[in-house]
């Protein structure tokens, strides 16, 4: 227990350190004293203070929240199908969310209505529908086949990507076209305090909700038949996971674009550090995902200052080799 608590403390310290470094990097350099002054003695007329508090900090917090959200969803999806290759990106959930959000961004419906941020609503709908189709296609003889589900996810992801490409090609607005192309590669450039609030509230509620589901998740790792024998309502639990993953992924993708491989890598790191059935796994996974995304965002701005490379490019450099490693490992499930 003490060892696990130390890992949580270390994760929090690393997040604070990378947050501090991220606030210093940009079109101008800011030292620790300047950052402290901007946060605790804010002057609205000071452009440096404004840039730190209303441009850099929201961007970093959005990266933190999106990373936490995608890692959390990856952990849930891997538990749901008992397969270490599952994540929102590979199973098409993120692509479905992208398609839903792009429909709004291209002006087919208004961005907001009755106080609702519609890109998130449509992203959730797209994520849920695609995940539902993938789960249905993954069933054979009333049994969920992880490999079949993975192939269905790749196919649905390709279909959604093609549809996004078609909408992009047919767009007659140069401004919307540029913003959607940049967004589709993953970006935190649009971050505002209001935008950060949507995925932040969603992931917090999801973590609180699944604090009561940790036992069922651990039993699911034994396989559906054994889980059913131990009293877990497998079908009901999978529906709950699918709904929550769709909502959390939808809000994350709507605010940052589709970012791959975070939900694949971080759950494996979590289980390696905390154990396969650790009680604090979901929370640690969220912390680790947030740290990883902050680190990727920092790297993107160091490599290509000041705006940075699209975040999806950086995560892919980490994710593709890791995916290949898992393929050669040939042990995707967690059954004993």
């Amino acid at each position: 227990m003490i060892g696990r608590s130390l890992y949580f403390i270390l994760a929090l310290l690393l997040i604070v350190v990378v947050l501090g470094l991220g606030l210093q990097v940009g079109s101008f350099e800011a030292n620790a004293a300047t950052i402290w002054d901007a946060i605790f003695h804010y002057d609205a007329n000071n452009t440096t203070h404004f840039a730190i508090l209303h441009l850099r900090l929201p961007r970093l917090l959005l990266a933190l929240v999106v990373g936490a959200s995608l890692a959390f969803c990856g952990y849930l999806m891997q538990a749901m199908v008992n397969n270490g290759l599952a994540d929102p990106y590979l199973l098409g959930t993120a692509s479905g969310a992208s398609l839903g959000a792009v429909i709004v961004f291209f002006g087919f419906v208004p961005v907001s209505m009755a106080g609702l941020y519609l890109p998130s609503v449509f992203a959730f709908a797209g994520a849920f529908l695609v995940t539902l189709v993938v789960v249905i296609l993954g069933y054979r003889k009333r049994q969920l086949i992880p490999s079949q589900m993975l192939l269905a996810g790749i196919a649905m992801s390709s279909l959604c990507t093609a549809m996004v490409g078609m909408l992009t090609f047919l767009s007659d607005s140069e401004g919307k076209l540029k913003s959607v192309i940049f967004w589709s590669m993953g970006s935190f450039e649009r971050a505002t305090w209001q935008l950060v609030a949507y995925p932040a509230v969603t992931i917090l509620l999801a973590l609180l909700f699944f604090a009561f589901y940790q036992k069922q998740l651990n039993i699911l790792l034994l396989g559906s038949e054994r889980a059913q024998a131990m009293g877990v309502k497998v079908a009901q639990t999978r529906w709950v996971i699918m709904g929550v993953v769709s909502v959390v992924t939808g809000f994350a993708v709507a605010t940052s674009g589709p970012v791959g491989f975070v939900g694949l890598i971080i759950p494996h790191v979590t289980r390696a550090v905390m154990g396969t059935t650790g009680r604090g796994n979901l929370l640690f996974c969220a912390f680790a995902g947030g740290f990883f995304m902050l680190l990727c965002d920092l790297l993107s701005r160091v490599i290509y200052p000041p705006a940075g490379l699209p975040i999806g490019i950086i995560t892919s450099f980490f994710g593709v080799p890791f995916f290949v490693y898992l393929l050669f490992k040939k042990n995707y499930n967690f059954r004993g």
Side-chain angles (χ1 to χ4, degrees):
M1 186 68 183
I2 296 175
R4 288 176 180 173
S5 299
L6 287 175
Y7 286 129
F8 273 103
I9 294 169
L10 180 61
L12 282 171
L13 286 174
L14 287 172
I15 287 171
V16 171
V17 169
V18 179
L19 268 172
L21 292 172
L23 286 173
Q24 296 180 44
V25 177
S27 56
F28 63 91
E29 291 187 7
N31 56 32
T34 304
I35 294 168
W36 179 274
D37 200 42
I39 295 173
F40 295 101
H41 304 97
Y42 179 70
D43 181 0
N45 297 318
N46 189 317
T47 55
T48 300
H49 287 192
F50 179 86
I52 290 172
L53 207 62
H54 293 285
L55 297 178
R56 291 187 185 178
L57 188 55
R59 174 185 178 133
L60 291 170
L61 291 178
L62 184 61
L64 175 68
V65 169
V66 168
S69 298
L70 295 177
F72 170 85
C73 290
Y75 190 97
L76 289 181
M77 295 187 91
Q78 289 178 13
M80 181 176 77
V81 301
N82 189 30
N83 190 290
L85 294 180
D87 91 321
Y89 191 76
L90 293 174
L91 291 185
T93 307
S95 297
S98 298
L99 178 58
V102 163
I103 289 172
V104 181
F105 290 145
F106 273 130
F108 292 99
V109 293
V111 174
S112 62
M113 183 183 294
L116 290 174
Y117 182 65
L118 290 187
S120 295
V121 176
F122 274 70
F124 156 67
F128 185 80
L129 287 173
V130 169
T131 307
L132 177 62
V133 171
V134 169
V135 169
I136 291 171
L137 292 175
Y139 268 99
R140 184 185 296 169
K141 296 179 181 178
R142 296 184 179 182
Q143 199 169 19
L144 190 64
I145 311 298
S147 58
Q148 187 168 316
M149 188 175 174
L150 185 66
L151 291 173
I154 293 170
M156 290 302 298
S157 180
S158 298
L159 176 62
C160 290
T161 302
M163 293 177 73
V164 169
M166 183 182 70
L167 291 173
T168 303
F169 180 78
L170 295 175
S171 174
D172 57 357
S173 171
E174 188 175 340
K176 289 178 180 177
L177 188 62
K178 286 181 178 179
S179 63
V180 167
I181 289 174
F182 194 72
W183 171 86
S184 66
M185 292 186 284
S187 170
F188 305 120
E189 280 290 296
R190 297 170 55 249
T192 63
W193 285 108
Q194 183 181 6
L195 205 62
V196 171
Y198 292 108
V201 171
T202 307
I203 183 62
L204 285 174
L205 291 176
L207 282 168
L208 287 173
F209 177 79
F210 269 96
F212 303 99
Y213 259 87
Q214 185 69 59
K215 183 179 178 181
Q216 288 91 324
L217 290 176
N218 290 338
I219 296 174
L220 269 181
L221 297 178
L222 300 173
S224 57
E225 292 181 3
R226 291 172 69 179
Q228 194 84 44
M230 295 176 70
V232 174
K233 297 178 180 178
V234 175
Q236 179 182 318
T237 303
R238 280 175 173 161
W239 276 108
V240 170
I241 291 173
M242 194 167 69
V244 172
V245 164
S246 299
V247 173
V248 176
T249 302
F251 276 88
V253 170
T255 53
S256 68
V259 181
F261 300 108
V262 181
L264 176 71
I265 299 171
I266 304 304
H268 285 276
V269 174
T270 298
R271 286 187 292 269
V273 172
M274 303 289 286
T276 304
T277 58
R279 289 185 61 186
N281 278 17
L282 274 174
L283 184 58
F284 183 84
C285 189
F287 283 176
F291 165 73
F292 177 69
M293 194 68 89
L294 280 172
L295 186 62
C296 287
D297 181 63
L298 180 62
L299 285 173
S300 79
R301 288 187 287 148
V302 169
I303 294 169
Y304 189 75
L309 292 169
I311 199 68
I313 294 174
I314 303 298
T315 58
S316 294
F317 278 122
F318 288 102
V320 171
F322 191 82
F323 183 74
V324 172
Y325 159 74
L326 290 178
L327 288 176
F328 280 101
K329 189 180 177 185
K330 296 180 180 179
N331 183 20
Y332 317 135
N333 62 38
F334 313 113
R335 294 176 205 178

